């Protein structure tokens, strides 16, 4: 039985960076987006290249991204973090 898109996304999101095999992850530095594509085509192309938008590599580092509903924007979080450093 084929998995639904929701099931595939949940599976991708649940990857544990402590146990994932780095050789199975794409390096985001290798992802190239064609700016002549439409927004939808760019998204599809990005997903095809990165394989898992929640967990990928940047060089020797493994990156895990998660989102929380109502958790504030990235800009708000960065601003809050920078204010905490001062």
């Amino acid at each position: 039985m084929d998995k639904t898109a929701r099931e595939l996304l949940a599976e991708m999101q649940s990857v544990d960076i402590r146990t994932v095999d780095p050789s199975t992850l794409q390096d985001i530095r290798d992802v190239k987006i064609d700016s002549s594509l439409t927004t939808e085509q760019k998204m599809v192309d990005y997903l095809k290249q990165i394989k898992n938008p929640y967990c990928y590599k940047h060089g020797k580092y493994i990156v895990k991204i998660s989102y929380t509903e109502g958790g504030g924007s990235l800009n708000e979080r960065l601003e809050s973090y920078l204010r905490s450093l001062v």
Side-chain angles (χ1 to χ4, degrees):
M1 179 179 200
D2 290 340
K3 294 179 183 178
T4 66
R6 188 171 298 237
E7 290 170 328
L8 287 171
L9 285 174
E11 188 176 293
M12 287 185 231
Q13 192 173 14
S14 69
V15 170
D16 186 339
I17 64 169
R18 296 169 295 182
T19 58
V20 69
D21 178 358
S23 69
T24 65
L25 302 174
Q26 298 300 116
D27 192 318
I28 196 157
R29 297 173 304 166
D30 296 331
V31 174
K32 306 293 183 229
I33 303 298
D34 182 348
S35 60
S36 69
L37 299 174
T38 66
T39 301
E40 185 176 324
Q41 290 170 326
K42 287 177 190 174
M43 290 189 306
V44 169
D45 188 42
Y46 172 77
L47 290 172
K48 282 181 181 177
Q49 291 181 63
I50 201 69
K51 307 285 190 265
N52 184 343
Y54 297 103
C55 190
Y56 52 84
K57 291 187 300 191
H58 184 277
K60 65 180 183 176
Y61 299 102
I62 296 174
V63 178
K64 172 78 183 231
I65 295 179
S66 62
Y67 302 92
T68 56
E69 214 170 297
S73 71
L74 178 59
N75 284 346
E76 291 168 340
R77 292 294 173 206
L78 286 173
E79 183 178 335
S80 174
Y81 172 70
L82 292 173
R83 287 181 192 273
S84 74
L85 297 177
V86 219

